Amino acid sequence: MGTERLELAGLPVLAQIPPRPKALLLALHGLQGSKEHILSLLPGYLEAGFLLLASDAPRHGERPGPPPSAKDPFYVESVYQVALGFAEEALGVAEEAQRRFGLPLFLAGGSLGAFVVHLLLAQGFRPRAALAFIGSGFPMKLPQGQRVRDPRVQALYQHPPALRGEAYGGVPLLHLHGTEDLIVPLARMEETLKALRPHYPEGRLARFVEEGAGHTITPLMARMGRAFLEGWLEGGLAPGGA
């Protein structure tokens, strides 16, 4: 098992490759994170046969930056401009990875990366299953005094991914959250599930809540997420019943 640097869809991608990979897992980091950081939070996935892939979001990691700053009066707009760019790039990475490796694809994201997971599902992207760690399918509430000028970001507020559940195609989705998350309150995650539930068949939309956990992907969350993905890799049906 080893770590390699690849180029996929014109982007530098960090890949952790097991000897006999069973599936691809594209991991999307959060705001002010990096490809290296998100992979460090997913222990055991490589040993379970997942070929892990991660790239840096726009303005993050080795990309030209810096990340959005809360001191910027257009901070929220900047955050979701990053999210929109990250979603577009992730789609390109996923498609090229599938062509190169010929393996089923799974998706995982943490915090802002979880929002990007929702954004991709709402756009019709169809991984075998997905994990949303410490995130929501709704954009953050605008702080007092913040403004949004970009019409693409305005559209995220007018039509959040979580309110487009019919477009998710029943892709198996597990939300993992902590009771003490002060960045993305637990209620925002619950609001997401409430909005999606009418569009999901039984057994494909799930939640795991860790008592006392804050805004971090804990080892327990990582283990629960891995078990969920393994279930859909080994015994579950692909989205659409294929």
Side-chain angles (χ1 to χ4, degrees):
M1 292 185 284
T3 300
E4 297 183 14
R5 285 179 63 90
L6 308 176
E7 183 175 300
L8 296 173
L11 294 169
V13 174
L14 201 62
Q16 293 182 349
I17 305 175
R20 290 178 293 277
K22 300 176 183 177
L24 302 170
L25 176 61
L26 179 58
L28 308 175
H29 67 76
L31 192 66
Q32 299 187 355
S34 68
K35 57 186 181 300
E36 291 82 6
H37 184 238
I38 188 65
L39 292 183
S40 75
L41 298 175
L42 300 174
Y45 285 70
L46 185 66
E47 293 76 8
F50 288 97
L51 194 165
L52 294 152
L53 299 168
S55 62
D56 291 320
R59 299 177 59 176
H60 286 74
E62 62 186 272
R63 308 282 298 278
S69 167
K71 297 178 181 179
D72 184 343
F74 296 101
Y75 168 68
V76 171
E77 180 172 280
S78 296
V79 166
Y80 290 107
Q81 287 171 336
V82 167
L84 288 163
F86 202 12
E88 183 177 350
E89 292 175 353
L91 183 60
V93 169
E95 291 176 344
E96 187 166 328
Q98 283 190 289
R99 287 195 297 269
R100 180 178 297 194
F101 295 104
L103 295 169
L105 178 79
F106 293 80
L107 190 60
S111 193
L112 183 67
F115 181 80
V116 175
V117 166
H118 279 280
L119 190 54
L120 288 168
L121 295 180
Q123 292 172 351
F125 185 54
R126 295 290 182 267
R128 180 72 63 90
L131 305 175
F133 292 100
I134 58 174
S136 165
F138 290 95
M140 73 175 83
K141 294 184 178 179
L142 281 172
Q144 186 174 4
Q146 288 275 314
R147 292 179 290 158
V148 170
R149 303 161 298 178
D150 188 331
R152 300 173 305 154
V153 178
Q154 290 174 353
L156 294 178
Y157 279 88
Q158 294 163 355
H159 305 287
L163 295 184
R164 291 182 271 156
E166 69 282 354
Y168 283 49
V171 169
L173 174 63
L174 172 63
H175 261 273
L176 305 104
H177 222 89
T179 58
E180 305 304 316
D181 192 329
L182 301 180
I183 305 298
V184 181
L186 179 60
R188 293 290 277 173
M189 184 274 277
E190 300 287 13
E191 183 183 3
T192 298
L193 295 183
K194 182 179 179 181
L196 291 176
R197 199 162 282 121
H199 305 285
Y200 260 82
E202 186 70 26
R204 287 179 175 244
L205 183 64
R207 66 193 280 281
F208 172 76
V209 177
E210 184 174 348
E211 189 67 35
H215 192 69
T216 186
I217 300 173
T218 68
L220 179 56
M221 290 182 195
R223 289 198 301 273
M224 296 298 293
R226 186 178 73 239
F228 182 80
L229 297 188
E230 287 177 318
W232 286 100
L233 174 62
E234 296 171 2
L237 294 174

